[in-house]
Amino acid sequence: MQRVTAQSAAWLAAALLLGLLAERCRAEGGGPGLAERVIWAVNAGGEAHTDTHGIHFKKDPLEGKVGKASDYGVRLPILRSSPEDQILYQTERYNEDTFGYEVPIREEGDYILVMKYAEVYFAQSQQKVFDVRLNGHVVVKDLDIFERVGHSTAHDEIVSFSIRRGKLSVQGEVSTFNGKLTVEFVKGYYDNPKVCALYVMKGTLEDVPKLQPHPGLEKREEEEEEEEETEGGEDSGRKTASVAPKNRVQSGPRTPNPYAADNSSLMFPILVAFGVFIPTLFCLCRL
């Protein structure tokens, strides 16, 4: 009997220890993983794919319904993306008019929309430019993928939003939320809108996986920052130069303009002389 009691106590102690370890692991891990927080994901224009983070992208539900699917990019390596996930940037869906996806969301909270892009066709900027709307709110304005990152290079557009008490809040704007998130790619003046892949997850901006670094992009960003600093310095110099003359102390009183003097006092004697001369001349002529 004692042996059974001791064995039960040992099993109970082991179970408690395992429970404590599990709680500690959950606390250190910060709750559910990335893949578990993704509520919706689609590989636009392509087949189903599970990426290196465990996110399962479904086959494009718009296939055969809206727009056109393209795999033109499969012949190109995509910079900033791992080899396993390049397929997410190599396929795309585009349309000659505005199109989009509907994402059902049933729970309140903070969410992130991640849209994946790569320019695999055009080789210069101002060739494909479009907006992105979220339930009518413009969240990305004049997106020019080539201008952002260049050719065949991965680029993610990340938009945070929240849903509380039947309201959608995004980028300082609020609207009524009816349980569906509508992501629209808006037709612009330059070519057709498109998207390569997109997903919605619960969380914050810090939870989104970052793309691989791109030395060329980092160098360009550093150069742009240096140019902004230089321009700021020049502007401040111009401001100082423009302000200095106003505050400059004059060396003495201003010299009066000799051509601005009043000559009315000199004209009076001349008028008097004419007044006397004309009557005198008239009298002499009568004599």
Side-chain angles (χ1 to χ4, degrees), residues 2-212:
Q2 291 179 354
R3 226 180 254 178
V4 172
T5 304
Q7 191 175 20
S8 300
W11 278 108
L12 180 61
L16 289 173
L17 181 60
L18 288 173
L20 290 172
L21 289 173
E23 288 182 4
R24 184 174 179 181
C25 289
R26 280 196 295 270
E28 291 178 354
L34 175 65
E36 296 173 355
R37 282 179 283 177
V38 173
I39 65 171
W40 185 92
V42 162
N43 181 21
E47 300 295 327
H49 174 76
T50 301
D51 71 0
T52 54
H53 304 287
I55 301 175
H56 179 68
F57 291 81
K58 296 180 180 179
K59 180 180 178 179
D60 194 343
L62 296 185
E63 181 63 35
K65 299 177 181 178
V66 179
K68 298 178 182 179
S70 172
D71 60 355
Y72 184 84
V74 295
R75 68 194 73 185
L76 300 171
I78 305 298
L79 302 176
R80 302 183 74 195
S81 176
S82 62
E84 298 84 359
D85 294 337
Q86 288 189 17
I87 190 62
L88 294 174
Y89 299 93
Q90 291 170 328
T91 63
E92 63 184 53
R93 178 164 298 280
Y94 69 91
N95 192 30
E96 296 178 356
D97 199 356
T98 299
F99 76 103
Y101 296 84
E102 285 191 350
V103 184
I105 300 180
R106 298 179 177 85
E107 296 182 4
E108 295 186 347
D110 296 322
Y111 290 87
I112 300 292
L113 167 66
V114 179
M115 296 168 285
K116 297 181 176 293
Y117 297 97
E119 183 52 70
V120 296
Y121 186 76
F122 294 110
Q124 62 183 20
S125 60
Q126 295 295 308
Q127 298 297 304
K128 182 186 287 293
V129 184
F130 57 94
D131 297 344
V132 179
R133 286 195 305 236
L134 200 63
N135 280 35
H137 305 281
V138 177
V139 293
V140 181
K141 183 69 175 174
D142 295 331
L143 176 59
D144 188 333
I145 305 165
F146 186 90
E147 186 178 27
R148 297 283 183 93
V149 296
H151 193 266
S152 60
T153 303
H155 173 65
D156 288 356
E157 284 287 338
I158 304 170
V159 179
S160 61
F161 64 95
S162 63
I163 299 172
R164 288 183 175 84
R165 298 181 180 179
K167 299 291 184 181
L168 167 70
S169 300
V170 57
Q171 296 182 355
E173 299 180 0
V174 181
S175 63
T176 302
F177 185 70
N178 61 0
K180 290 184 179 179
L181 186 75
T182 304
V183 186
E184 293 180 293
F185 307 96
V186 184
K187 170 73 173 179
Y189 292 106
Y190 301 98
D191 202 64
N192 304 311
K194 77 167 192 176
V195 65
C196 295
L198 65 163
Y199 66 88
V200 176
M201 62 173 286
K202 295 195 74 172
T204 61
L205 295 173
E206 291 74 18
D207 301 322
V208 180
K210 303 296 186 295
L211 291 171
Q212 296 179 4

Side-chain angles (χ1 to χ4, degrees), residues 264-281:
S264 60
S265 59
L266 297 175
M267 294 296 294
F268 182 72
I270 297 173
L271 292 173
V272 172
F274 270 103
V276 174
F277 175 74
I278 292 173
T280 303
L281 181 62

